[in-house]
Amino acid sequence: MQRVGRAQIRLAPLAAFDALAALRDPAWLHDDERRRLDAMASPLRRRQFLAGHWLLRELAAEHHGGDAAAWLLTRDDHGAPRLQAPTGIDAVLHASISHSSDWVAVAIAGEAIGLDIETGAKPRDLPSLAEFLFSPEECAALVQVDDARRAAHFYLHWTLKEAWGKRQGTGLRPQRTRRQTPHEVIAGQATMQSWQRPDRLLVMALAGSRGLRADVSGWPGVDAPRYWDVVETG
């Protein structure tokens, strides 16, 4: 029997990191991370970057041991994030980081994963984006949703596509995403999971292997995940 994997996910508001000493002097950053941070002009983007990269290390240290600052975040030959454990701990973890407005989310697992979170805070032309990225089936379904729920429906499908693209290492490629439609399935058949707040626009999706289980901490609600698989045509 194939062993079912498990991912750890953690969310946090950006404000939770404002007084953190580790972010005021981020000596724990890898050289590549520091170069990326130095190239960022936006104060918000810098806050998101530091918060996500520290939260990822905290999550790894909590579940696998060692000091958070001693975990090393690098990238493989395809650019996918990898966490290398401190000396004495035998662990190399796949990782994914996402942020949207004042929220940051991270995930770790022993296999390739992709995580995406959206708050819908950034103004977007949702119908045009859907036509560009979504399958005809998804576009038709979006039109049928009433105005009050349309943004939440859009971002549910957006996060599923983002998470899937991150897990595959391809990102959002319209020529492929327009041929892919997520369908709800039972947990054991799922390659993706989603969480969605009923009281505000906050959506998160995780992509991994079939049947991957996820432990979520920091999610501001108690809603259970929905499970999805991708049907590709053409």
Side-chain angles (χ1 to χ4, degrees):
M1 179 180 297
Q2 185 177 2
R3 183 175 178 270
V4 176
R6 185 174 292 275
Q8 303 293 333
I9 303 174
R10 179 157 298 164
L11 294 85
L14 275 182
F17 301 91
D18 287 345
L20 197 63
L23 270 64
R24 292 197 296 271
D25 181 23
W28 41 270
L29 287 174
H30 185 265
D31 289 346
D32 176 63
E33 292 174 285
R34 186 170 296 280
R35 283 192 293 270
R36 293 173 61 199
L37 178 65
D38 289 345
M40 295 176 187
S42 164
L44 173 61
R45 183 66 189 93
R46 291 174 65 88
R47 286 178 66 207
Q48 292 170 332
F49 182 92
L50 285 169
H53 285 237
W54 179 252
L55 185 61
L56 190 67
R57 287 166 162 88
E58 282 193 326
L59 186 62
E62 178 180 321
H63 287 276
H64 295 273
D67 181 57
W71 281 80
L72 183 65
L73 182 61
T74 61
R75 292 180 176 269
D76 65 15
D77 294 340
H78 303 288
R82 294 286 187 276
L83 270 171
Q84 298 180 9
T87 302
I89 299 175
D90 184 19
V92 177
L93 303 173
H94 295 255
S96 190
I97 304 174
S98 185
H99 49 77
S100 181
S101 185
D102 55 354
W103 282 94
V104 61
V106 300
I108 57 173
E111 62 178 73
I113 50 174
L115 181 73
D116 192 59
I117 185 171
E118 292 288 346
T119 62
K122 183 185 296 185
R124 288 181 168 127
D125 183 344
L126 302 189
S128 294
L129 277 173
E131 185 176 350
F132 184 60
L133 290 170
F134 288 6
S135 68
E137 183 178 344
E138 288 174 293
C139 290
L142 184 65
V143 172
Q144 300 301 316
V145 177
D146 62 69
D147 292 344
R149 297 187 299 117
R150 188 164 294 141
H153 184 91
F154 171 88
Y155 281 109
L156 168 62
H157 286 255
W158 173 286
T159 55
L160 289 169
K161 289 183 182 295
E162 280 271 24
W164 183 257
K166 287 182 180 181
R167 194 262 177 182
Q168 300 299 105
T170 60
L172 284 177
R173 293 187 176 179
Q175 66 272 25
R176 186 162 189 182
T177 61
R178 287 195 291 263
R179 303 198 311 268
Q180 296 172 328
T181 304
H183 288 275
E184 228 166 331
V185 296
I186 62 174
Q189 297 175 353
T191 53
M192 297 182 292
Q193 301 172 51
S194 68
W195 295 260
Q196 197 162 9
R197 282 285 296 273
D199 58 333
R200 58 168 290 184
L201 184 48
L202 182 63
V203 189
M204 182 173 69
L206 174 75
S209 63
R210 193 170 303 281
L212 178 69
R213 297 172 182 172
D215 300 318
V216 181
S217 55
W219 180 256
V222 294
D223 55 329
R226 295 168 67 181
Y227 298 98
W228 307 84
D229 196 17
V230 174
V231 175
E232 187 164 343
T233 58

